[in-house]
Amino acid sequence: MAYSASLFSHIPFHANRFISTKRSSKPPTKTTLLKPPAAIPPLSTTITFDADLPTLAAISGCSVAALAAVISLTDPERRRKLQAEEVGGGDKEVVREYFNNSGFQRWKKIYGETDDVNKVQRDIRLGHSKTVENVMAMLTDEGPLKGVTVCDAGCGTGSLAIPLAKEGAIVLASDISAAMVAEAKKQAEEQLLADSEGAGPVMPKFEVKDLESLNGKYDTVVCLDVLIHYPQSKADGMIAHLASLAEKRLILSFAPKTVYYDLLKRVGELFPGPSKATRAYLHAEADVERALQKVGWKIRKRGLTTTQFYFARLIEAVPA
């Protein structure tokens, strides 16, 4: 599902900003706070819909109130239940089925380097790559990564696991999708083994596992753009489990829940398009923070990555 650019403002919205939550003896300044812009920010197509141009034109001419009225008459939850019934399970089964089939082909293109992508997909690629860059910056803030153990939970095609390995980290990369893991392993072999001369980087260990099945202990656990597939009730348990695996820090990215984003997500559900996708869940930052606090963790840094069609809240948590 991909939203049309006609639904939102083109006013620039800064990306790649990090906010540390460490206390300082100096009085706060304007630059220590991350404030939303006065205008409505752009929308990410982490949640998308495939409507045609006449439909988009009609939507762009509607008021927010009219959209809300239309949404109130629809039943996207019914479609969600039918989708789950088709694969014989809930959210996890839907995610596994999607990313092993049509979703794998779509996101392999988006995360890859092929030119066979449309404007929206290219923009999502840019947004995701910025998130990866931001994570690498967070991870290297405190020194080199050589020998640091990292669990990349929900590794996709290896867009984070491979750069981590290149920096010398010892990486366990897992994904619920066997197709994604196979592609990530292939990419790692091509990039890491081909570039290595003598004692090169350590190849990541790849596993097909869902988040709850992960075990072991790691200096850092990272989980990017995965929580969007699960409601907050399930995300709480996932966050708690990921925190139990981390010794020093946990990095999460998720689609933030606001009135505006929630409304546009529901608009997208009115136009599911020809291809099936997973259910999309936005998460309030306060809910994620509460889930961390319950297991004795606190947020140390906050960031926000946005492009025209992508948005992701990024947080780094440490033991309280």
Side-chain angles (χ1 to χ4, degrees):
M1 299 178 297
Y3 283 109
S4 163
S6 63
L7 289 178
F8 45 80
S9 166
H10 292 280
I11 296 176
F13 189 35
H14 298 292
N16 305 332
R17 293 176 293 181
F18 297 102
I19 303 300
S20 174
T21 57
K22 293 180 180 179
R23 295 185 179 274
S24 171
S25 58
K26 297 180 181 180
T29 65
K30 291 182 180 179
T31 58
T32 61
L33 298 177
L34 181 61
K35 296 182 178 181
I40 294 176
L43 175 71
S44 159
T45 47
T46 301
I47 310 149
T48 61
F49 73 80
D50 299 319
D52 55 21
L53 291 178
T55 302
L56 297 178
I59 292 173
S60 63
C62 295
S63 67
V64 173
L67 287 175
V70 171
I71 289 171
S72 68
L73 300 176
T74 67
D75 187 12
E77 186 59 32
R78 179 173 178 274
R79 287 198 299 273
R80 291 171 173 173
K81 289 180 180 179
L82 289 174
Q83 187 180 18
E85 289 173 1
E86 287 181 7
V87 298
D91 292 284
K92 187 186 299 184
E93 287 71 25
V94 170
V95 171
R96 181 183 290 111
E97 174 72 14
Y98 174 69
F99 283 104
N100 272 324
N101 294 285
S102 62
F104 168 68
Q105 296 300 330
R106 172 179 176 167
W107 290 97
K108 177 185 174 182
K109 286 200 310 181
I110 292 175
Y111 292 153
E113 297 180 351
T114 176
D115 292 329
D116 184 25
V117 290
N118 59 36
K119 176 183 177 182
V120 171
Q121 292 170 332
R122 191 179 300 278
D123 190 81
I124 296 171
R125 176 189 291 174
L126 174 62
H128 180 75
S129 67
K130 286 184 176 181
T131 294
V132 171
E133 289 175 9
N134 291 345
V135 170
M136 292 299 294
M138 281 184 169
L139 289 171
T140 55
D141 271 352
E142 297 177 6
L145 294 178
K146 186 173 180 60
V148 174
T149 56
V150 182
C151 174
D152 181 9
C155 66
T157 58
S159 55
L160 175 64
I162 295 171
L164 285 171
K166 287 182 177 179
E167 291 294 321
I170 310 301
V171 183
L172 171 73
S174 70
D175 201 281
I176 194 172
S177 164
M180 285 288 188
V181 169
E183 179 64 21
K185 185 176 181 181
K186 175 186 174 184
Q187 292 291 334
E189 290 173 347
E190 291 177 357
Q191 296 185 43
L192 299 178
L193 298 182
D195 294 343
S196 64
E197 295 181 3
V202 177
M203 276 286 294
K205 179 182 178 182
F206 293 98
E207 294 184 348
V208 180
K209 284 187 176 181
D210 56 53
L211 296 187
E212 296 96 329
S213 300
L214 290 170
N215 52 36
K217 287 289 184 180
Y218 309 89
D219 294 321
T220 297
V221 174
V222 183
C223 184
L224 302 183
D225 297 346
V226 173
L227 296 181
I228 193 171
H229 303 300
Y230 302 97
Q232 189 64 46
S233 58
K234 292 183 180 179
D236 286 352
M238 292 176 173
I239 291 170
H241 182 64
L242 292 172
S244 74
L245 306 176
E247 297 279 9
K248 298 179 180 178
R249 54 187 170 181
L250 170 63
I251 296 177
L252 302 171
S253 76
F254 54 92
K257 185 174 184 178
T258 66
V259 173
Y260 178 70
Y261 288 145
D262 190 49
L263 175 61
L264 288 185
K265 180 183 81 71
R266 296 185 67 187
V267 170
E269 289 174 331
L270 299 177
F271 306 92
S275 61
K276 295 181 180 179
T278 64
R279 288 172 268 189
Y281 298 94
L282 309 185
H283 297 281
E285 187 173 345
D287 290 336
V288 174
E289 188 163 13
R290 275 194 292 270
L292 288 165
Q293 290 172 343
K294 285 181 181 178
V295 292
W297 286 65
K298 65 180 180 180
I299 296 177
R300 181 170 68 173
K301 293 180 182 177
R302 306 170 194 263
L304 182 67
T305 303
T306 64
T307 62
Q308 190 174 10
F309 295 98
Y310 177 97
F311 64 99
R313 170 65 72 192
L314 187 63
I315 61 171
E316 180 191 74
V318 295

